[in-house]
Amino acid sequence: MLEVGAGTGYYLAGVLDGAPDARGVALDVAKPAARRNARAHPRAASVLADAWRGLPIRDGALSRVLSVFAPRNPGEVARVLAADGSFVVATPTERHLAELIEPLGMLTVDPDKDRRLGAAMSGHFDAIDRTLVEYSMKLDRGDVANVVAMGPSGHHADRADDPRITTMPETVEVTASVLVSSYRKPPG
């Protein structure tokens, strides 16, 4: 299996822990992420590559591809996925981290994100399942700083030492809200 935009390799490692016979590849465009991915799991390899320039994997080689909050290239994923394989995509909903967005000037989730995902997958994949995963998290200031730095707001907002974080309560209750969508290649 492959995780596109693997970041730290956290999600791929979790999937591999639940599938003892599986092997994985963590792909990311950032050198620090690729280095960290190389140590994420004993059954995972790390590849430094830009998914938009093509996946360095042979046609039909993968049974699963995972994308968690990462850019994806549906055409390339369809090429490397086996005929009976699946593509699992996790995207934030508009409620994801809502309690932090205004106080920290974070980017909001595009309300049209789900429709755009469907349009991008069209012609490459058929949707087979969609599950909303939503729960409350209690984050301390360090966790909040990490959450801000991990997402797209980390590239657009002040760094984790933002004084707005230091003036927040010691613990903040925050909503995690994610849509997990599964896809298969159309028959034929």
Side-chain angles (χ1 to χ4, degrees), residues 3 5-13 26 28 32-41 150:
E3 183 179 2
T8 64
Y10 174 84
Y11 297 106
L12 178 63
D28 205 285
R35 282 189 210 103
R36 185 157 180 179
N37 284 327
R39 298 181 305 276
H41 196 278
M150 284 183 352

Side-chain angles (χ1 to χ4, degrees), residues 38-60:
R39 298 181 305 276
H41 196 278
R43 288 181 281 118
S46 179
V47 174
L48 179 66
D50 182 350
W52 292 111
R53 293 181 181 229
L55 297 173
I57 302 198
R58 68 179 163 82
D59 295 359

Side-chain angles (χ1 to χ4, degrees), residues 2 6 12 18 82-83 90 109 122 135 139 150 162:
L2 168 72
L12 178 63
V109 174
S122 178
Y135 55 92
L139 305 179
M150 284 183 352
D162 184 329

